[in-house]
Amino acid sequence: MDKLDTSASLESLTPAQVRALIRTNDHTGSTSGLAKGYLQANLLILPADWANDFLLFCQKNPVACPLVGVSEPGSRYIPELGHDIDIGRDVPEFHVFHDGQFTQAVYDLDALWRDDLVIFALGCSFSFEEALIQAGLKVRNIEQNTNVSMYDTNIACLPAGKFSGNMVVSMRPFPPKDAIRAVQVTSRYPKAHGAPVHFGDPQAIGIDDISKPNYGEAVDIYPGEVPVFWACGVTPQNVVRHSKPPFCITHSPGKMLITDLLSNALAVL
Amino acid sequence: MDKLDTSASLESLTPAQVRALIRTNDHTGSTSGLAKGYLQANLLILPADWANDFLLFCQKNPVACPLVGVSEPGSRYIPELGHDIDIGRDVPEFHVFHDGQFTQAVYDLDALWRDDLVIFALGCSFSFEEALIQAGLKVRNIEQNTNVSMYDTNIACLPAGKFSGNMVVSMRPFPPKDAIRAVQVTSRYPKAHGAPVHFGDPQAIGIDDISKPNYGEAVDIYPGEVPVFWACGVTPQNVVRHSKPPFCITHSPGKMLITDLLSNALAVL
């Protein structure tokens, strides 16, 4: 392989090196496949007067919203996620919402930052996808080089204060034998949504057409395979749309915060 | 409850107390539900010149044939399973096979014992059924007070020397969410067949009619449930029928050897 191939060199960088490129806007794309082995986080940023309710929401819905860090109000740092991470600049792209509606995408938060904002960092399924591959399983969305298929469901999250809404799930198809192994592997990663929440019949959780994901892209499901569904980090964004906080910022889908924590450092067992 | 109720008092006995009743033929029935928490074992007894091949067969097929003990040739004792257990008398009933064919049932092995016989003790699913119930799951065959449903499959065991044959599986139906939990719970018990080997479509493993088990009894499968299949300790009996050793003894189905080992002492994690 050409040593100057950009993606190959990007993939060989440390978390700090990738974040340095992101900070200068020299990388504004997906973080999928980057800094392998390190935890990547979903972000939700809320004004302090909405933050306590969201903290409680995460406590009540730990499978969909596995908290890995919370900032002090007004701080753009969560030290336990790594050294010298300015979350306001070290994420490739952010989405801004007003009253639950998407309003703009930005590359940093310098112009938008406020002293009352609280950052929530939530684990993501990248951690367990790496573990599935290391266990010899084939992850279809990675094989097909597409974004994972995600669906709205009728599974209600437990409400907390001003927050309520249904769970969003990601789907990966497996033959039953591999699905059983996938339950075992992902159970080790509760901070990355843990074990599946459902498999088989999509309608049982309110998905009418498996070929039409609400987010991400459709993947092939081969004969003999069953769809396996995990709680998804897009759930908070769905909850924001439903609960309509006046102001909210998230990362852009697929463009995550790369932390200095090894995924396996948060694995159980 | 009447303190003199026979089954209630049987269920409150220690492993040694139950075996004492079995030794005198005062209990010749099923051991299901007795000495709860203690490992019960499937038995296969073979002449020494067939024993090494079966030992290798177990090594190659640990999910269907989880060995928990092997006797010295001619000995009716496996000390690591408990004190003072005369396996030739402390099992409610045995089945005798010649050339792979069932020939008789006996209550003890005194008349049949030979100096070249080797006893193999294999873990059984009673251990994980207790764990499933303790995890709050409903085990249909226990709810319906029937023997578990068991099926011949087209899953070939790895052959070893003179032994070959297909896996026999047991089936318990669950809603998908509980099936996922059941994978987690039973994964802890590799000496009781561990995690399921399949779920869903019965034909994928060669089962043509789920309502007609080859062994045990049929149970109801309710709407929204999927059949979940575990490797079963009847597999060795199927392999014996197929491989036709000149002489062989097993326990009678459901009438197991009760050991002094706690099931949880053999659990992993």
Side-chain angles (χ1 to χ4, degrees):
Chain A
M1 183 182 275
D2 185 347
K3 275 197 173 182
L4 295 175
D5 178 86
T6 310
S7 68
S9 48
L10 252 185
E11 288 183 6
S12 68
L13 299 181
T14 66
Q17 288 170 329
V18 180
R19 287 196 304 264
L21 290 177
I22 290 170
R23 185 175 291 197
T24 53
N25 292 337
D26 288 306
H27 179 72
T28 56
S30 166
T31 54
S32 174
L34 303 188
K36 277 205 177 68
Y38 288 89
L39 182 80
Q40 299 198 18
N42 298 291
L43 295 179
L44 192 70
I45 304 176
L46 287 165
D49 58 345
W50 283 67
N52 283 341
D53 280 358
F54 190 71
L55 184 61
L56 189 61
F57 187 84
C58 292
Q59 191 279 325
K60 289 185 180 230
N61 299 282
V63 179
C65 301
L67 260 188
V68 295
V70 185
S71 76
E72 295 293 322
S75 171
R76 287 158 47 152
Y77 294 83
I78 302 177
E80 58 266 40
L81 298 184
H83 271 300
D84 191 33
I85 306 179
D86 176 357
I87 296 172
R89 292 193 289 164
D90 294 355
V91 171
E93 192 180 61
F94 298 90
H95 279 182
V96 182
F97 296 80
H98 286 86
D99 298 320
Q101 296 297 312
F102 170 79
T103 48
Q104 62 173 322
V106 295
Y107 293 128
D108 69 57
L109 300 183
D110 289 346
L112 293 168
W113 192 251
R114 298 167 17 176
D115 281 349
D116 67 337
L117 293 180
V118 177
I119 304 171
F120 293 89
L122 307 163
C124 102
S125 58
F126 287 174
S127 300
F128 77 62
E129 286 187 342
E130 285 177 19
L132 290 170
I133 290 165
Q134 283 167 16
L137 301 185
K138 295 192 190 306
V139 177
R140 184 67 32 80
N141 50 293
I142 292 178
E143 279 187 316
Q144 299 192 340
N145 199 28
T146 62
N147 199 346
V148 70
S149 311
M150 293 167 276
Y151 305 86
D152 292 322
T153 73
N154 61 10
I155 304 171
C157 295
L158 289 177
K162 298 188 268 286
F163 287 100
S164 63
N166 287 349
M167 186 186 287
V168 177
V169 294
S170 62
M171 186 282 289
R172 294 161 192 82
F174 291 103
K177 190 180 169 191
D178 289 350
I180 290 164
R181 185 72 186 127
V183 171
Q184 293 179 314
V185 171
T186 59
S187 291
R188 296 189 61 227
Y189 296 89
K191 288 298 189 185
H193 307 299
V197 295
H198 182 62
F199 64 77
D201 180 15
Q203 292 202 314
I205 56 171
I207 299 170
D208 286 330
D209 186 348
I210 194 78
S211 72
K212 299 208 173 100
N214 300 95
Y215 321 88
E217 294 163 80
V219 296
D220 295 330
I221 303 179
Y222 300 141
E225 292 186 334
V226 293
V228 183
F229 300 92
W230 279 266
C232 174
V234 172
T235 302
Q237 297 184 28
N238 193 43
V239 165
V240 159
R241 267 197 303 278
H242 189 254
S243 307
K244 302 183 174 39
F247 183 67
C248 173
I249 302 167
T250 71
H251 67 289
S252 295
K255 303 178 180 183
M256 323 286 285
L257 174 67
I258 298 174
T259 76
D260 285 342
L261 296 179
L262 285 167
S263 292
N264 279 335
L266 277 77
V268 296
L269 303 182
Chain B
M1 184 183 271
D2 186 346
K3 276 197 171 183
L4 295 174
D5 178 89
T6 310
S7 67
S9 48
L10 252 186
E11 289 184 4
S12 67
L13 299 181
T14 66
Q17 289 170 330
V18 179
R19 288 195 305 265
L21 290 177
I22 291 170
R23 185 175 290 198
T24 55
N25 291 339
D26 288 306
H27 179 73
T28 56
S30 166
T31 54
S32 174
L34 303 188
K36 276 203 179 69
Y38 288 89
L39 182 81
Q40 298 199 19
N42 298 291
L43 294 178
L44 193 71
I45 304 175
L46 287 164
D49 57 348
W50 283 67
N52 282 342
D53 280 357
F54 190 71
L55 184 61
L56 189 62
F57 186 84
C58 292
Q59 190 277 327
K60 290 186 179 230
N61 299 281
V63 179
C65 302
L67 260 189
V68 295
V70 185
S71 76
E72 295 293 322
S75 170
R76 287 158 47 155
Y77 294 83
I78 303 177
E80 58 267 40
L81 299 183
H83 271 298
D84 191 33
I85 304 179
D86 176 357
I87 296 173
R89 293 193 290 163
D90 294 353
V91 171
E93 193 180 60
F94 299 89
H95 279 181
V96 182
F97 297 79
H98 287 86
D99 297 320
Q101 296 296 313
F102 170 79
T103 48
Q104 63 172 324
V106 295
Y107 294 127
D108 68 60
L109 300 182
D110 289 347
L112 293 168
W113 192 251
R114 299 168 14 178
D115 281 348
D116 67 337
L117 294 181
V118 177
I119 304 172
F120 294 89
L122 307 162
C124 102
S125 58
F126 287 173
S127 300
F128 77 62
E129 286 187 342
E130 285 178 18
L132 290 170
I133 290 165
Q134 283 167 15
L137 301 185
K138 295 192 188 306
V139 177
R140 183 66 34 80
N141 50 292
I142 291 178
E143 279 188 315
Q144 299 193 340
N145 199 27
T146 62
N147 199 346
V148 70
S149 311
M150 293 167 277
Y151 305 85
D152 291 323
T153 72
N154 61 10
I155 303 171
C157 294
L158 289 177
K162 298 187 269 285
F163 287 99
S164 62
N166 288 350
M167 186 185 287
V168 177
V169 293
S170 62
M171 186 282 289
R172 294 161 192 81
F174 290 102
K177 191 180 168 191
D178 289 352
I180 290 164
R181 185 71 186 128
V183 171
Q184 294 179 313
V185 170
T186 59
S187 291
R188 295 190 62 226
Y189 296 89
K191 287 298 189 187
H193 307 299
V197 294
H198 182 62
F199 63 78
D201 180 15
Q203 291 201 313
I205 57 171
I207 300 171
D208 286 330
D209 186 347
I210 194 76
S211 72
K212 300 209 172 100
N214 300 95
Y215 321 88
E217 295 163 78
V219 296
D220 294 330
I221 302 179
Y222 300 142
E225 292 186 334
V226 292
V228 183
F229 300 93
W230 279 265
C232 174
V234 172
T235 302
Q237 295 184 28
N238 192 44
V239 165
V240 159
R241 267 196 304 277
H242 190 255
S243 308
K244 301 182 174 42
F247 184 66
C248 172
I249 302 167
T250 71
H251 68 290
S252 294
K255 303 179 180 181
M256 322 286 284
L257 174 67
I258 298 175
T259 77
D260 285 342
L261 296 179
L262 286 168
S263 293
N264 280 335
L266 277 77
V268 296
L269 304 182

